[in-house]
Amino acid sequence: MKSACVAVALLLGALSVGAAGKKELVSFSHNDWELVCDNTRTCRAAGYQADGGEHQQVSMLITRVAGPNTALDIQLQIGDDGGAKGLLRFKVGKAALSGLDAGTASFDEGQIRAVLPELLKSDDATVTANGGKKWTLSLAGLNAVLLKMDETQGRVGTPGALVRKGTKAESSVLPPVPMPVVNVVKPPKAKPGDAALPARIFPSLDIAAVKEQCNNSTDFSAKSLEIVRLSGSKVLLSMGCGMGAYNYSSLLWIANDKPPYAPVSLEANGDFDDSDASVTSAMKGRGIGDCWSSETWHFNGTTFVRTGASGDGMCRGFAGGAWSLPRYVSRLVDAAAPPLTSSKP
C-alpha cells in the first residue's frame, strides 16, 4: 500500500526540482514528507503529522551523507505545547522505543535498525508521553521520499539502498561532492569622507528599478542609503526595501568610491555584517508556523558569492520550523589564512 503512486510522485518531484533552480541538487515532497539534498549530496527527509493537524505537532528527520556504507541519522521532535511530561515512547508497527527525551530525541544505531523496516511498511507511527498525551506521525509519502533520496545518492539496487535494495556493488554509490571553498575578505575601516558618498552616488542608481522591487513602499532618497567600505576603492550601498506584506530586506550595490561610481546591483539582499563580511536574507513564508527561508553571501574581495541557503520546509505548525533543511553549504576561509582556490556557486 505504501508503494502506490511512487512513480507519479517521483515524476512530480523531478518537475519541482527543475522549478527550484539549478543550484540545489534536489527539492521534493510527497504527501506528509519532504526531501532536501544539498550541493554535497547530503540528504534530509522530514515528515510530519497529517496535513491539518497543526495542533498536534510531531516531526521526524532522517539524514544521510552521500557515499558508500554511510549510516542514517534519525531525530524525532514534538511541538512545545506543554503536553509532554517525562520521557516518550515511540511505536511503529512491531517496533517500540521507550525512554526518549521530550522535545527532540536522537535514535541510536540499534534503534534505527529496529524501526526502519517498520517505518517503510506502516501508515503512521505514534509518540506517547507519560502524561497520556499522544502524537501521530504520518508516514504517507515516506517511501517515495526515501526512494528519491536513494536515487539522488546513487543507491538504488545496492545493498545499502533504503527502498529498492539489490546486488549492485556498494562502491557504485555516488561519492559526496566536495564542499565549495570561499575565501572571505573582511572590510577595512571607513575612510574620511565616506559619509558623503551616498549623496554623490545616489543619482547613478536606477531608481525606477528600485521602486518596482520595493513595491513603491520606500522613501527613495540619498538619505535612505547606508554605506560600508569594502576595500580601498569599493563601497557597499544598502537601501531598505519593503518586499510585500510579509518581508522587509535591503537592496545592495557595490560602487567605486570615486567617479565614475558605476554602482552594480547585487543578487544578494539583506543585512550586512562587517564582523564576517556576510549578507543574510531571511524571508518569511505564508501559513501556520512562521516558516522561514534564508540565504547567505560573503564578500570574497571582489563581490558577494552565495555561501549558504536553507529553509524550514513544510513547518506544519512548528513555530519557526521543526528543522533547518540546508540547500547549499560551503566552507569559509579567512583571506588572511594560506590562499585556497575559491569556488563560486
Side-chain angles (χ1 to χ4, degrees):
M1 92 182 64
K2 294 295 292 296
S3 60
C5 299
V6 167
V8 174
L10 292 181
L11 175 60
L12 294 175
L15 295 175
S16 70
V17 170
K22 297 180 180 179
K23 293 182 179 180
E24 284 74 52
L25 191 60
V26 167
S27 178
F28 170 78
S29 64
H30 186 54
N31 291 335
D32 301 313
W33 280 76
E34 62 187 334
L35 175 73
V36 176
C37 299
D38 65 31
N39 52 305
T40 70
R41 288 201 190 102
T42 292
C43 292
R44 296 169 178 86
Y48 306 84
Q49 73 276 1
D51 194 13
E54 283 79 8
H55 300 294
Q56 188 211 33
Q57 300 97 2
V58 58
S59 185
M60 175 176 282
L61 180 68
I62 301 176
T63 303
R64 196 173 199 182
V65 176
N69 301 307
T70 56
L72 290 182
D73 179 84
I74 296 182
Q75 293 178 282
L76 182 71
Q77 183 178 170
I78 58 173
D80 184 17
D81 61 358
K85 297 181 180 179
L87 300 177
L88 304 176
R89 182 173 187 266
F90 178 79
K91 187 176 188 307
V92 57
K94 298 178 180 179
L97 307 177
S98 299
L100 299 176
D101 293 332
T104 301
S106 296
F107 293 4
D108 62 31
E109 186 177 344
Q111 291 171 329
I112 292 174
R113 282 199 303 268
V115 303
L116 184 59
E118 300 299 322
L119 289 169
L120 292 171
K121 63 185 180 183
S122 302
D123 294 320
D124 56 46
T126 59
V127 182
T128 308
N130 290 343
K133 176 77 174 181
K134 184 177 180 180
W135 297 262
T136 301
L137 174 71
S138 172
L139 300 176
L142 172 64
N143 278 37
V145 162
L146 293 186
L147 178 57
K148 190 65 179 178
M149 181 188 290
D150 283 344
E151 182 183 87
T152 300
Q153 297 183 333
R155 301 184 192 277
V156 175
T158 68
L162 299 176
V163 178
R164 291 183 183 170
K165 296 181 182 293
T167 58
K168 290 173 58 178
E170 188 69 14
S171 59
S172 67
V173 172
L174 294 173
V177 177
M179 190 179 295
V181 176
V182 176
N183 290 322
V184 178
V185 178
K186 296 180 181 178
K189 294 181 179 180
K191 287 184 178 181
D194 279 359
L197 287 175
R200 297 172 184 168
I201 300 175
F202 181 78
S204 302
L205 299 179
D206 185 348
I207 296 302
V210 172
K211 289 181 178 180
E212 182 176 355
Q213 287 180 271
C214 300
N215 299 313
N216 294 301
S217 62
T218 303
D219 177 23
F220 305 104
S221 68
K223 293 181 179 179
S224 58
L225 280 177
E226 295 184 4
I227 189 166
V228 175
R229 180 157 291 278
L230 290 176
S231 68
S233 61
K234 299 288 185 180
V235 293
L236 178 72
L237 298 168
S238 65
M239 178 182 289
C241 177
M243 297 181 174
Y246 288 86
N247 296 293
Y248 185 87
S249 189
S250 295
L251 301 181
L252 303 174
W253 298 264
I254 292 180
N256 300 321
D257 63 358
K258 293 181 176 61
Y261 297 112
V264 176
S265 63
L266 300 180
E267 176 189 0
N269 66 81
D271 298 325
F272 178 73
D273 186 343
D274 59 6
S275 68
D276 64 354
S278 70
V279 169
T280 299
S281 172
M283 305 297 270
K284 178 183 175 182
R286 295 175 181 267
I288 298 173
D290 288 343
C291 303
W292 289 82
S293 62
S294 65
E295 293 198 61
T296 304
W297 297 262
H298 281 77
F299 185 61
N300 67 358
T302 302
T303 189
F304 284 84
V305 294
R306 186 171 181 254
T307 53
S310 65
D312 296 334
M314 292 183 186
C315 220
R316 287 284 171 94
F318 282 86
W323 317 101
S324 176
L325 304 176
R327 306 189 309 272
Y328 192 88
V329 295
S330 60
R331 184 163 67 89
L332 306 179
V333 177
D334 194 314
L340 294 173
T341 301
S342 174
S343 297
K344 184 176 179 180

